[in-house]
Amino acid sequence: MARSKSRKITLFLCYNSAMKNQKAIPTVLLAFLLLLTNLFSCARQEVTETAKAMRPAQTPPNLGDDLKLKSLIVGLKKSITRLKKSQKVLHFGEKEISSQAYAKELSKILNVFKKDPSQVLSYIKNTFEWQEVYGREEWGEILMTSYYEPIYEGRRSKTARFSQAIYQLPKDFVEVELDAFSREDLGNFDTDRKKVGGRVTSGPIGDKIIPYYNREEIDIAGKLNGKGLELYYLDPIQAFFLQIQGSGAVRLKNGSIHRVGYAGQNGFRYQSIGKKLFDIIPKSEMSLQRIEAHLRTLSKEDLYQFLKCNPSYVFFKKLKSGRGRTTFGPQVIPGRTIAVDPRFFALGSLAYLSFQKPVFENKYSTVPLKFETRDRFVVAHDTGGAIKGPGRADLFWGEGASALQYAGVLTHPAKLWF
């Protein structure tokens, strides 16, 4: 909106200058200016209200699913279990429904699946109301990315190769609920964040909470050194990528695999390092693989200086077994779990995704031969630091190198309905 206003002002000044010019044609110029002003004023506004994040679908999708429905049923069961225990009201644009009532409707899908799996798609199509998301440039259209669970080599002790620690949640870390303060009118919080990380420190009139350490303070200044917080040591680049994914596994020298999951975040906004590389890697070719290849060309000092442009820092915890947990609670489901912005989309809800799946020549290829349209049901169980607004979603692809091949290049427009 600010950009539109600045252009209107510029055009107005040009018009005033033209009026002073005896050779100008004010009537024609005025018509031209009015046309441009109307065009800019019709620019899409940013959505900040949940009620405006969806609307009844103008054209419901033609249903299909490129995965086995069994994995969808697993996701729905997890949603139903959690929603039944909740007392929340779920928002789908202007429509509202209690979590228990929504769980009851999802349960009917399970009943249809038990009787005749072939009838599930038609039942959903004919029973549920379809809502299309506000999107980015137009209704229904989002930018879809993908995430996965990496398996990285690591060690319990620091070595020349495995020199960067991944840390468990520090004991002095506190979570500040800004939303609670705002509701009580105890501060003017001009932010879309409900919670931020902080730490307690002593002040002249008692203890106070200040922002937690950022990436530069942790990785370069060593603010967490000597506190016994190190879980494992990884290659610095892979330690950074593990934080982006939020969960994964570490393979030790003896071959044993140890899973780690998200435990907390320092409170700083996530900043994409990919955006800092557009002058090196064309936007159309941006991928995790290309980013890593570039980072490997940097010296260790230059690498840390570059990575600090993303001040966000993720802490981990050891997992006993299974895949990483979502924000909603259940484990991630390959191909079915999506991360969304919970300010606009209810966690636990059923959604439908149409996207472009990359096709590779072989399992070693990093550049797709082409993309093919795929459609499937997904469950909104997760969130992410980079997944903000009603025009974003992140699809969980799976685990290991095979998942990276797809997740690393999936950054394309897609369609999303709830």
Short mmCIF file of all heavy atoms in Angstrom, two decimals, residues 275-295:
data_model
loop_
_atom_site.label_atom_id
_atom_site.label_comp_id
_atom_site.label_asym_id
_atom_site.label_seq_id
_atom_site.Cartn_x
_atom_site.Cartn_y
_atom_site.Cartn_z
N LYS A 275 17.19 -15.15 -0.55
CA LYS A 275 16.94 -13.82 -1.10
C LYS A 275 18.21 -12.99 -1.19
O LYS A 275 18.27 -12.04 -1.95
CB LYS A 275 15.90 -13.10 -0.24
CG LYS A 275 14.51 -13.73 -0.29
CD LYS A 275 13.53 -12.95 0.57
CE LYS A 275 12.13 -13.56 0.50
NZ LYS A 275 11.16 -12.82 1.34
N LYS A 276 19.22 -13.36 -0.38
CA LYS A 276 20.49 -12.64 -0.41
C LYS A 276 21.39 -13.11 -1.55
O LYS A 276 22.46 -12.55 -1.77
CB LYS A 276 21.23 -12.84 0.91
CG LYS A 276 20.43 -12.52 2.15
CD LYS A 276 20.16 -11.04 2.30
CE LYS A 276 19.44 -10.75 3.61
NZ LYS A 276 19.16 -9.31 3.79
N LEU A 277 20.93 -14.15 -2.27
CA LEU A 277 21.78 -14.76 -3.30
C LEU A 277 21.24 -14.60 -4.71
O LEU A 277 21.70 -15.26 -5.63
CB LEU A 277 21.96 -16.26 -2.99
CG LEU A 277 22.69 -16.61 -1.70
CD1 LEU A 277 22.66 -18.11 -1.45
CD2 LEU A 277 24.12 -16.11 -1.74
N PHE A 278 20.25 -13.73 -4.88
CA PHE A 278 19.65 -13.57 -6.20
C PHE A 278 20.65 -13.05 -7.24
O PHE A 278 20.49 -13.25 -8.43
CB PHE A 278 18.44 -12.64 -6.14
CG PHE A 278 17.22 -13.28 -5.54
CD1 PHE A 278 16.23 -12.51 -4.96
CD2 PHE A 278 17.05 -14.65 -5.57
CE1 PHE A 278 15.10 -13.10 -4.40
CE2 PHE A 278 15.93 -15.26 -5.02
CZ PHE A 278 14.95 -14.48 -4.44
N ASP A 279 21.70 -12.36 -6.78
CA ASP A 279 22.70 -11.86 -7.71
C ASP A 279 23.70 -12.95 -8.09
O ASP A 279 24.51 -12.76 -9.00
CB ASP A 279 23.45 -10.67 -7.11
CG ASP A 279 24.14 -11.03 -5.80
OD1 ASP A 279 23.65 -11.95 -5.11
OD2 ASP A 279 25.15 -10.39 -5.46
N ILE A 280 23.62 -14.09 -7.41
CA ILE A 280 24.52 -15.21 -7.69
C ILE A 280 23.77 -16.39 -8.31
O ILE A 280 24.23 -17.02 -9.26
CB ILE A 280 25.23 -15.66 -6.40
CG1 ILE A 280 26.09 -14.51 -5.85
CG2 ILE A 280 26.08 -16.91 -6.63
CD1 ILE A 280 26.71 -14.81 -4.51
N ILE A 281 22.59 -16.69 -7.76
CA ILE A 281 21.76 -17.79 -8.25
C ILE A 281 20.45 -17.21 -8.79
O ILE A 281 19.73 -16.54 -8.04
CB ILE A 281 21.44 -18.79 -7.13
CG1 ILE A 281 22.74 -19.30 -6.47
CG2 ILE A 281 20.64 -19.97 -7.67
CD1 ILE A 281 22.50 -20.16 -5.24
N PRO A 282 20.13 -17.42 -10.06
CA PRO A 282 18.86 -16.91 -10.59
C PRO A 282 17.69 -17.42 -9.77
O PRO A 282 17.70 -18.56 -9.30
CB PRO A 282 18.83 -17.48 -12.02
CG PRO A 282 20.27 -17.72 -12.36
CD PRO A 282 20.93 -18.12 -11.07
N LYS A 283 16.70 -16.58 -9.59
CA LYS A 283 15.54 -16.95 -8.77
C LYS A 283 14.88 -18.22 -9.27
O LYS A 283 14.43 -19.05 -8.49
CB LYS A 283 14.54 -15.79 -8.77
CG LYS A 283 13.40 -15.97 -7.78
CD LYS A 283 12.52 -14.74 -7.74
CE LYS A 283 11.39 -14.89 -6.73
NZ LYS A 283 10.53 -13.68 -6.68
N SER A 284 14.85 -18.40 -10.59
CA SER A 284 14.21 -19.58 -11.17
C SER A 284 14.99 -20.86 -10.88
O SER A 284 14.47 -21.96 -11.00
CB SER A 284 14.05 -19.41 -12.68
OG SER A 284 15.32 -19.23 -13.30
N GLU A 285 16.27 -20.73 -10.50
CA GLU A 285 17.11 -21.89 -10.25
C GLU A 285 17.43 -22.06 -8.76
O GLU A 285 18.24 -22.91 -8.39
CB GLU A 285 18.42 -21.76 -11.04
CG GLU A 285 18.22 -21.68 -12.55
CD GLU A 285 19.53 -21.49 -13.30
OE1 GLU A 285 20.59 -21.68 -12.68
OE2 GLU A 285 19.49 -21.15 -14.48
N MET A 286 16.80 -21.25 -7.92
CA MET A 286 17.10 -21.30 -6.49
C MET A 286 16.64 -22.62 -5.89
O MET A 286 15.52 -23.07 -6.11
CB MET A 286 16.42 -20.14 -5.78
CG MET A 286 16.84 -19.96 -4.34
SD MET A 286 18.56 -19.47 -4.15
CE MET A 286 18.54 -17.83 -4.90
N SER A 287 17.53 -23.28 -5.16
CA SER A 287 17.21 -24.54 -4.49
C SER A 287 18.17 -24.72 -3.33
O SER A 287 19.21 -24.05 -3.25
CB SER A 287 17.33 -25.72 -5.46
OG SER A 287 18.67 -25.92 -5.84
N LEU A 288 17.83 -25.62 -2.43
CA LEU A 288 18.73 -25.92 -1.31
C LEU A 288 20.07 -26.42 -1.82
O LEU A 288 21.12 -26.11 -1.28
CB LEU A 288 18.09 -26.96 -0.40
CG LEU A 288 16.97 -26.49 0.53
CD1 LEU A 288 16.41 -27.66 1.32
CD2 LEU A 288 17.47 -25.42 1.48
N GLN A 289 20.01 -27.21 -2.90
CA GLN A 289 21.24 -27.77 -3.46
C GLN A 289 22.15 -26.67 -4.01
O GLN A 289 23.36 -26.69 -3.78
CB GLN A 289 20.90 -28.78 -4.57
CG GLN A 289 20.15 -30.01 -4.07
CD GLN A 289 18.64 -29.86 -4.14
OE1 GLN A 289 18.10 -28.76 -3.97
NE2 GLN A 289 17.94 -30.95 -4.40
N ARG A 290 21.57 -25.71 -4.73
CA ARG A 290 22.36 -24.62 -5.29
C ARG A 290 22.90 -23.72 -4.16
O ARG A 290 24.03 -23.22 -4.24
CB ARG A 290 21.52 -23.79 -6.27
CG ARG A 290 21.21 -24.47 -7.59
CD ARG A 290 22.47 -24.64 -8.44
NE ARG A 290 23.13 -23.39 -8.73
CZ ARG A 290 22.83 -22.59 -9.75
NH1 ARG A 290 21.85 -22.93 -10.58
NH2 ARG A 290 23.52 -21.48 -9.97
N ILE A 291 22.08 -23.48 -3.15
CA ILE A 291 22.53 -22.66 -2.03
C ILE A 291 23.70 -23.33 -1.31
O ILE A 291 24.71 -22.68 -1.02
CB ILE A 291 21.37 -22.42 -1.04
CG1 ILE A 291 20.30 -21.53 -1.68
CG2 ILE A 291 21.89 -21.76 0.24
CD1 ILE A 291 19.06 -21.36 -0.83
N GLU A 292 23.59 -24.62 -1.06
CA GLU A 292 24.68 -25.32 -0.38
C GLU A 292 25.95 -25.29 -1.22
O GLU A 292 27.04 -25.09 -0.68
CB GLU A 292 24.30 -26.77 -0.07
CG GLU A 292 25.41 -27.51 0.64
CD GLU A 292 25.02 -28.91 1.10
OE1 GLU A 292 23.86 -29.30 0.88
OE2 GLU A 292 25.87 -29.60 1.67
N ALA A 293 25.81 -25.49 -2.52
CA ALA A 293 26.99 -25.48 -3.39
C ALA A 293 27.72 -24.14 -3.30
O ALA A 293 28.95 -24.09 -3.26
CB ALA A 293 26.58 -25.76 -4.83
N HIS A 294 26.96 -23.05 -3.22
CA HIS A 294 27.59 -21.74 -3.09
C HIS A 294 28.25 -21.58 -1.72
O HIS A 294 29.39 -21.09 -1.62
CB HIS A 294 26.57 -20.62 -3.30
CG HIS A 294 27.11 -19.26 -2.96
ND1 HIS A 294 28.06 -18.62 -3.72
CD2 HIS A 294 26.87 -18.44 -1.89
CE1 HIS A 294 28.37 -17.47 -3.17
NE2 HIS A 294 27.66 -17.33 -2.05
N LEU A 295 27.55 -22.00 -0.67
CA LEU A 295 28.10 -21.85 0.67
C LEU A 295 29.40 -22.63 0.83
O LEU A 295 30.29 -22.23 1.59
CB LEU A 295 27.08 -22.32 1.71
CG LEU A 295 25.77 -21.52 1.82
CD1 LEU A 295 24.87 -22.09 2.90
CD2 LEU A 295 26.05 -20.05 2.09
#
